[in-house]
Amino acid sequence: MRISETLRCHTSIRIGGDVEYFVVPFTAESLVAAVEILEDAGLKWRVLGAGTNILASDEETCAVISTKHLTGIWFTEKGVIAEAGVIVDRLIELAILKGLSGLEFASGLPGTLGGAVTMNAGAFGGEMAGLVQSAECLMPDMRTVKLDRNEMQFGYRTSAFRRAGAVILRVSLKMTKNDISSIKARRREILNCRILKQPLQLPSAGSVFIRPMADFYVGSKIEGLGFKGYRVGDAEVSTKHAGFIVNKGNASQRDVLILIEKLRKAVYEDTGHWLQTELDIW
Ligand SMILES: Cc1cc2nc3c(=O)[nH]c(=O)nc-3n(C[C@H](O)[C@H](O)[C@H](O)COP(=O)(O)OP(=O)(O)OC[C@H]3O[C@@H](n4cnc5c(N)ncnc54)[C@H](O)[C@@H]3O)c2cc1C
């Protein structure tokens, strides 16, 4: 455990204040033990994956449990069992070596498996819900349970884990055997698409808003309303993809929230849709 860590160093958008207790367990069992200690002490805590979907507070956060060291991976004939802190893109690289296909839609996804399952991350026509078979998790009442896929209530960027505030410890994914060169080709295609379209050189938390409906492209709408490059402090609507807000230096949570409200209001006045945020505001 580290005392007084700065959350800014653990979020992809490089925003976040100090954390009083930053806990980095090396096993799922010690994560559960850490939660028990924090609960017994009456301390408010949150779980952090790779921090790629979080807009953290500029103020101090009490306790954060990071899954970054929960990185066990076990391949089977039919897929993989992996711990929550495994980076999804790394898992894809390893699955390719085994000739296992199914996850490549998520190529380039910078988050952890736990974060991706709880958010039901999706891209390029796939989503995590399509692969998850079961998951072990810590429920808010401190029971460790194994949920089957039919209990996970996946929705657009949400799941039963997210709604309940459960911590995912381990996940089993079903994958299929495929020709390695065709999996690699699909991965390359998706990575190229990300490089071409997304502002990967600058700190961001990915897409800011959820699509209000299937064929509503939020980035194109924001661009059409003339907001590309619009700034509040150091928070800027990306000039490459208007669905992203990037940190041009020293942006604060407040800057980003003001910018979000400005964009929401403009889109609402134009379309009647009040946009919901995809990123998690801490
Ligand atoms: C450049 C870029 C591109 C992106 N592209 C996509 C994309 O194509 N599709 C997409 O869906 N998202 C995308 N994202 C957003 C993000 O990568 C995903 O939502 C990812 O799944 C979040 O994982 P994480 O580990 O970073 O979660 P974090 O940001 O650390 O956490 C997100 C939420 O999940 C919770 N959480 C984290 N780990 C666990 C766990 N083990 N158990 C329970 N809850 C947990 C956190 O408490 C928090 O509420 C992108 C982000 C960036 C920066």
Side-chain angles (χ1 to χ4, degrees), residues 114-258:
V117 172
T118 198
M119 301 294 300
N120 189 18
F124 300 94
E127 56 179 14
M128 294 308 294
L131 289 94
V132 183
Q133 291 307 297
S134 63
E136 285 165 57
C137 63
L138 177 67
M139 301 301 283
D141 62 6
M142 299 306 295
R143 279 178 310 128
T144 305
V145 297
K146 185 171 179 177
L147 295 190
D148 284 322
R149 58 170 292 110
N150 57 11
E151 298 171 286
M152 294 179 190
Q153 298 165 23
F154 285 114
Y156 187 76
R157 301 295 173 265
T158 194
S159 65
F161 307 103
R162 191 170 190 205
R163 290 188 204 97
V167 180
I168 297 172
L169 303 171
R170 244 176 242 113
V171 180
S172 167
L173 301 179
K174 186 178 169 194
M175 301 178 87
T176 46
K177 281 273 182 197
N178 202 346
D179 167 52
I180 291 185
S181 57
S182 60
I183 316 175
K184 273 188 178 166
R186 177 73 181 135
R187 174 173 166 75
R188 178 48 45 211
E189 191 188 342
I190 289 171
L191 290 178
N192 285 342
C193 199
R194 283 191 188 268
I195 292 166
L196 206 67
K197 293 192 174 160
Q198 298 182 350
L200 303 180
Q201 266 73 21
L202 290 168
S204 83
S207 298
V208 175
F209 298 108
I210 292 174
R211 278 187 202 169
M213 47 207 244
D215 58 350
F216 188 113
Y217 294 97
V218 179
S220 307
K221 175 46 69 187
I222 292 172
E223 180 177 351
L225 291 170
F227 278 99
K228 256 190 172 178
Y230 187 90
R231 261 173 107 141
V232 174
D234 272 349
E236 182 182 280
V237 177
S238 165
T239 51
K240 193 165 180 184
H241 186 316
F244 285 58
I245 290 176
V246 293
N247 182 353
K248 295 288 282 192
N250 213 11
S252 63
Q253 186 196 48
R254 192 167 172 274
D255 294 337
V256 178
L257 290 177
I258 293 171

Side-chain angles (χ1 to χ4, degrees), residues 256-269:
V256 178
L257 290 177
I258 293 171
L259 187 48
I260 285 174
E261 285 314 300
K262 181 96 192 163
L263 298 173
R264 268 182 168 155
K265 203 157 168 271
V267 172
Y268 181 72
E269 280 167 7

Side-chain angles (χ1 to χ4, degrees), residues 47 49-54 109 111-112 115-116 118 121-123 157 166 168 194 206 280:
V47 64
T52 62
N53 207 35
I54 288 170
L109 193 88
T112 61
T118 198
R157 301 295 173 265
I168 297 172
R194 283 191 188 268
D280 211 353

